[in-house]
Amino acid sequence: MAPPNNALIEEFYTAFQRLDAEAMAACYAPDILFQDPAFGVLRGREAGDMWRMLLGRAADFSLCFDSIKSIGQVASARAVARYTYSATGRLVVNEIHARFAIRDGLIAEHTDVFDLWRWSRQALGPSGWLLGWTPQMQHAIQSRARRTLNDYRLKYRKAAP
């Protein structure tokens, strides 16, 4: 039988494989602190909304995960996501190393680490190859991701009763 924290991380990634953003968000504490190179820092409902947005538009998506480990209230895992980036129609294979802090049986902190330049070369093509390593391009990627999430959240709130 897997330790409870390993089971929580497996539940999170299994929901990710099923494109089930609601089940993923249910693994998060209400005050979740999420961070990755593309979106920066997200707090609370923003993190769940990011998954709702991304999975709602996922195309040609697959995910595999392994190496789930936990010591005390800290866990880690490795995942590889394959998908078509909607803005350019280009195939992306993103290798992610994740770290989690767990509190009261829920993920309280989630940090995804991946090579943003590698991601930009795949997702953006020549411009990502030439400029994806620069702080300016990385800031532009993060600004666009945040703007897209903010637009999604405004639309989602207007559509909700």
Side-chain angles (χ1 to χ4, degrees):
M1 188 154 135
N5 292 339
N6 286 28
L8 174 64
I9 303 307
E10 185 162 342
E11 179 183 344
F12 177 84
Y13 281 118
T14 301
F16 199 172
Q17 287 177 320
R18 292 190 319 263
L19 302 176
D20 188 346
E22 295 307 320
M24 291 173 72
C27 293
Y28 281 163
D31 61 343
I32 179 71
L33 174 66
F34 174 89
Q35 184 170 358
D36 84 352
F39 285 89
V41 175
L42 303 175
R43 289 179 165 73
R45 187 160 171 88
E46 281 182 315
D49 285 347
M50 174 197 63
W51 295 121
R52 289 176 188 96
M53 177 187 75
L54 292 175
L55 298 185
R57 61 169 70 160
D60 304 318
F61 178 84
S62 69
L63 178 94
C64 58
F65 63 92
D66 59 26
S67 304
I68 297 175
K69 297 177 185 132
S70 64
I71 299 174
Q73 299 303 82
V74 176
S76 63
R78 187 181 82 85
V80 177
R82 289 176 175 79
Y83 57 93
T84 300
Y85 180 56
S86 61
T88 62
R90 297 176 61 89
L91 176 66
V92 173
V93 179
N94 197 15
E95 297 177 19
I96 304 157
H97 296 277
R99 293 186 305 261
F100 305 91
I102 298 164
R103 182 181 70 236
D104 300 326
L106 295 171
I107 300 167
E109 294 180 22
H110 176 182
T111 302
D112 278 349
V113 177
F114 58 86
D115 184 338
L116 190 58
W117 184 27
R118 184 175 189 273
W119 178 91
S120 71
R121 292 190 311 257
Q122 295 175 76
L124 306 176
S127 64
W129 180 263
L130 292 172
L131 301 171
W133 62 272
T134 66
Q136 296 87 348
M137 178 64 107
Q138 292 184 356
H139 176 74
I141 291 167
Q142 194 173 94
S143 293
R144 179 182 174 141
R146 290 303 300 253
R147 191 171 46 254
T148 303
L149 177 58
N150 290 338
D151 291 347
Y152 170 85
R153 295 187 82 220
L154 284 172
K155 181 179 177 183
Y156 179 77
R157 283 190 207 136
K158 286 180 183 175

